[in-house]
Amino acid sequence: MFTGLIQSLGTLEPLGETQLKVTCLKGGHQSAAIAHPILSDMALGDSIAVDGVCLTVESKLPQGFVASASPETLQRSTLGQLPADAVVNLESSLRVGSKIGGHFVTGHVDGIGYFESSQAIDNAWDIRFSVPEPRVARYIVSKGSIAVNGISLTVADCSQSGDWFSIAVIPVTYDETSLSSLIPGQGVNLEADILGKYVEKFLRSSPAESDKPDLSLSFLADHGYI
């Protein structure tokens, strides 16, 4: 489990078909005297989110680690598409008693969205993404939570179907994550808020088919979810 608050950046290098080498970089907010948040207590078997994908540390390196990704993970996420030395967001797993500043992020990517544009507005960045996969778009609601490449963000605006959405990002998030390096058309990993998935599951599990309500934005609004 993660919170979507990125601790540092790293670079990704493929090692064969399924293994990945991650080299940790220090973010601009860290001084040389501060231990790297990912490396300081990393152990074999730890879970680390790499661009929002939960991976397991298989071996430790002086400045990073090696992990493997299943064919399903490579197909569902961007990890199998990134070029060598691509910049990725890193976050270690949530510990009991830690602050939860973002939202609950599982590290299980739902699908891929695409970066469309970013525009500087006053003291923030307005960034827009397209979501071609209906299985992801259905969970995107205005002011709801979404993880983009592992970053906990709030949907500022979206279409009714969820096939596009925009976010408002403060400068520190823009500068300290991979958001600033995205180019138009580039894929991003999307994970919808898990609460919406459970709500939908429970609503559709009514014993009587005729009793099943249609899950829609209006239904959620009427019942206090948005």
Side-chain angles (χ1 to χ4, degrees), residues 131-141 159-164:
V131 189
E133 298 184 53
R135 66 182 179 185
V136 184
R138 65 192 303 164
Y139 300 116
I140 297 175
V141 297
S159 64
Q160 185 171 1
S161 65
D163 62 353
W164 68 263

Side-chain angles (χ1 to χ4, degrees), residues 136-177:
V136 184
R138 65 192 303 164
Y139 300 116
I140 297 175
V141 297
S142 180
K143 309 309 176 186
S145 296
I146 186 144
V148 178
N149 278 353
I151 309 166
S152 174
L153 298 165
T154 300
V155 176
D157 192 16
C158 64
S159 64
Q160 185 171 1
S161 65
D163 62 353
W164 68 263
F165 70 94
S166 64
I167 55 175
V169 178
I170 60 175
V172 66
T173 301
Y174 186 80
D175 294 337
E176 302 287 350
T177 68

Side-chain angles (χ1 to χ4, degrees), residues 83-114:
D85 296 325
V87 176
V88 292
N89 299 312
L90 302 176
E91 181 191 358
S92 55
S93 58
L94 180 65
R95 296 181 182 276
V96 175
S98 298
K99 294 181 179 180
I100 303 175
H103 73 283
F104 285 123
V105 178
T106 66
H108 304 154
V109 171
D110 293 308
I112 298 175
Y114 295 90

